[in-house]
PDB file of all heavy atoms in Angstrom:
ATOM      1  N   ASN J 746     148.446 211.094 129.771  1.00 98.00           N
ATOM      2  CA  ASN J 746     148.057 209.712 129.561  1.00 98.00           C
ATOM      3  C   ASN J 746     148.961 209.118 128.414  1.00 98.00           C
ATOM      4  O   ASN J 746     149.553 209.797 127.718  1.00 98.00           O
ATOM      5  CB  ASN J 746     146.615 209.528 129.198  1.00 98.00           C
ATOM      6  CG  ASN J 746     145.677 209.975 130.286  1.00 98.00           C
ATOM      7  OD1 ASN J 746     145.996 209.924 131.447  1.00 98.00           O
ATOM      8  ND2 ASN J 746     144.461 210.516 129.891  1.00 98.00           N
ATOM      9  N   SER J 747     148.955 207.845 128.348  1.00 98.00           N
ATOM     10  CA  SER J 747     149.752 207.104 127.295  1.00 98.00           C
ATOM     11  C   SER J 747     151.075 207.663 127.177  1.00 98.00           C
ATOM     12  O   SER J 747     151.660 207.919 126.121  1.00 98.00           O
ATOM     13  CB  SER J 747     148.991 207.250 125.947  1.00 98.00           C
ATOM     14  OG  SER J 747     147.662 206.751 125.983  1.00 98.00           O
ATOM     15  N   LEU J 748     151.793 207.755 128.285  1.00 98.00           N
ATOM     16  CA  LEU J 748     153.127 208.359 128.335  1.00 98.00           C
ATOM     17  C   LEU J 748     154.217 207.501 127.617  1.00 98.00           C
ATOM     18  O   LEU J 748     154.110 206.220 127.559  1.00 98.00           O
ATOM     19  CB  LEU J 748     153.574 208.512 129.843  1.00 98.00           C
ATOM     20  CG  LEU J 748     152.907 209.677 130.524  1.00 98.00           C
ATOM     21  CD1 LEU J 748     152.998 209.618 131.943  1.00 98.00           C
ATOM     22  CD2 LEU J 748     153.620 210.968 130.095  1.00 98.00           C
ATOM     23  N   LYS J 749     155.103 208.285 126.976  1.00 98.00           N
ATOM     24  CA  LYS J 749     156.079 207.659 126.195  1.00 98.00           C
ATOM     25  C   LYS J 749     157.509 208.002 126.752  1.00 98.00           C
ATOM     26  O   LYS J 749     157.617 209.077 127.454  1.00 98.00           O
ATOM     27  CB  LYS J 749     156.050 208.174 124.791  1.00 98.00           C
ATOM     28  CG  LYS J 749     154.753 207.936 124.093  1.00 98.00           C
ATOM     29  CD  LYS J 749     154.677 208.554 122.716  1.00 98.00           C
ATOM     30  CE  LYS J 749     153.361 208.376 122.032  1.00 98.00           C
ATOM     31  NZ  LYS J 749     153.319 209.018 120.692  1.00 98.00           N
ATOM     32  N   PRO J 750     158.547 207.184 126.496  1.00 97.00           N
ATOM     33  CA  PRO J 750     159.836 207.607 127.017  1.00 97.00           C
ATOM     34  C   PRO J 750     160.298 208.973 126.556  1.00 97.00           C
ATOM     35  O   PRO J 750     160.947 209.615 127.257  1.00 97.00           O
ATOM     36  CB  PRO J 750     160.741 206.469 126.459  1.00 97.00           C
ATOM     37  CG  PRO J 750     159.857 205.247 126.302  1.00 97.00           C
ATOM     38  CD  PRO J 750     158.452 205.862 125.980  1.00 97.00           C
ATOM     39  N   GLU J 751     159.823 209.311 125.463  1.00 96.00           N
ATOM     40  CA  GLU J 751     160.252 210.696 124.971  1.00 96.00           C
ATOM     41  C   GLU J 751     159.588 211.802 125.687  1.00 96.00           C
ATOM     42  O   GLU J 751     159.884 212.955 125.431  1.00 96.00           O
ATOM     43  CB  GLU J 751     160.008 210.799 123.410  1.00 96.00           C
ATOM     44  CG  GLU J 751     158.614 210.432 122.904  1.00 96.00           C
ATOM     45  CD  GLU J 751     158.616 208.926 122.496  1.00 96.00           C
ATOM     46  OE1 GLU J 751     159.223 208.090 123.025  1.00 96.00           O
ATOM     47  OE2 GLU J 751     157.991 208.753 121.454  1.00 96.00           O
ATOM     48  N   ASP J 752     158.631 211.516 126.476  1.00 98.00           N
ATOM     49  CA  ASP J 752     158.056 212.554 127.367  1.00 98.00           C
ATOM     50  C   ASP J 752     158.885 212.879 128.707  1.00 98.00           C
ATOM     51  O   ASP J 752     158.581 213.802 129.378  1.00 98.00           O
ATOM     52  CB  ASP J 752     156.577 212.149 127.793  1.00 98.00           C
ATOM     53  CG  ASP J 752     155.625 211.955 126.630  1.00 98.00           C
ATOM     54  OD1 ASP J 752     155.602 212.838 125.850  1.00 98.00           O
ATOM     55  OD2 ASP J 752     154.883 211.038 126.671  1.00 98.00           O
ATOM     56  N   THR J 753     159.897 212.091 128.799  1.00 97.00           N
ATOM     57  CA  THR J 753     160.861 212.376 129.885  1.00 97.00           C
ATOM     58  C   THR J 753     161.456 213.725 129.865  1.00 97.00           C
ATOM     59  O   THR J 753     161.960 214.045 128.886  1.00 97.00           O
ATOM     60  CB  THR J 753     161.927 211.239 129.950  1.00 97.00           C
ATOM     61  OG1 THR J 753     161.359 209.930 130.116  1.00 97.00           O
ATOM     62  CG2 THR J 753     162.890 211.456 131.078  1.00 97.00           C
ATOM     63  N   ALA J 754     161.264 214.513 130.903  1.00 98.00           N
ATOM     64  CA  ALA J 754     161.693 215.882 131.028  1.00 98.00           C
ATOM     65  C   ALA J 754     161.385 216.506 132.290  1.00 98.00           C
ATOM     66  O   ALA J 754     160.602 215.893 133.061  1.00 98.00           O
ATOM     67  CB  ALA J 754     161.086 216.636 129.881  1.00 98.00           C
ATOM     68  N   GLY J 755     161.932 217.577 132.563  1.00 98.00           N
ATOM     69  CA  GLY J 755     161.455 218.418 133.675  1.00 98.00           C
ATOM     70  C   GLY J 755     160.275 219.239 133.091  1.00 98.00           C
ATOM     71  O   GLY J 755     160.342 219.746 132.005  1.00 98.00           O
ATOM     72  N   TYR J 756     159.156 219.320 133.830  1.00 98.00           N
ATOM     73  CA  TYR J 756     157.984 220.021 133.470  1.00 98.00           C
ATOM     74  C   TYR J 756     157.751 221.241 134.259  1.00 98.00           C
ATOM     75  O   TYR J 756     157.915 221.182 135.548  1.00 98.00           O
ATOM     76  CB  TYR J 756     156.678 219.076 133.550  1.00 98.00           C
ATOM     77  CG  TYR J 756     156.659 218.046 132.487  1.00 98.00           C
ATOM     78  CD1 TYR J 756     157.538 216.967 132.378  1.00 98.00           C
ATOM     79  CD2 TYR J 756     155.658 218.121 131.420  1.00 98.00           C
ATOM     80  CE1 TYR J 756     157.483 216.094 131.234  1.00 98.00           C
ATOM     81  CE2 TYR J 756     155.657 217.326 130.427  1.00 98.00           C
ATOM     82  CZ  TYR J 756     156.526 216.266 130.314  1.00 98.00           C
ATOM     83  OH  TYR J 756     156.482 215.405 129.260  1.00 98.00           O
ATOM     84  N   TYR J 757     157.482 222.328 133.565  1.00 98.00           N
ATOM     85  CA  TYR J 757     157.453 223.677 134.206  1.00 98.00           C
ATOM     86  C   TYR J 757     156.150 224.336 133.969  1.00 98.00           C
ATOM     87  O   TYR J 757     155.643 224.322 132.854  1.00 98.00           O
ATOM     88  CB  TYR J 757     158.527 224.557 133.641  1.00 98.00           C
ATOM     89  CG  TYR J 757     159.908 224.032 133.969  1.00 98.00           C
ATOM     90  CD1 TYR J 757     160.498 223.048 133.089  1.00 98.00           C
ATOM     91  CD2 TYR J 757     160.621 224.405 135.086  1.00 98.00           C
ATOM     92  CE1 TYR J 757     161.756 222.603 133.430  1.00 98.00           C
ATOM     93  CE2 TYR J 757     161.867 223.920 135.387  1.00 98.00           C
ATOM     94  CZ  TYR J 757     162.524 223.008 134.503  1.00 98.00           C
ATOM     95  OH  TYR J 757     163.759 222.536 134.689  1.00 98.00           O
TER      96      TYR J 757
END
Side-chain angles (χ1 to χ4, degrees):
N746 298 329
S747 302
L748 282 161
K749 304 175 181 180
E751 52 262 43
D752 294 318
T753 295
Y756 281 72
Y757 298 86

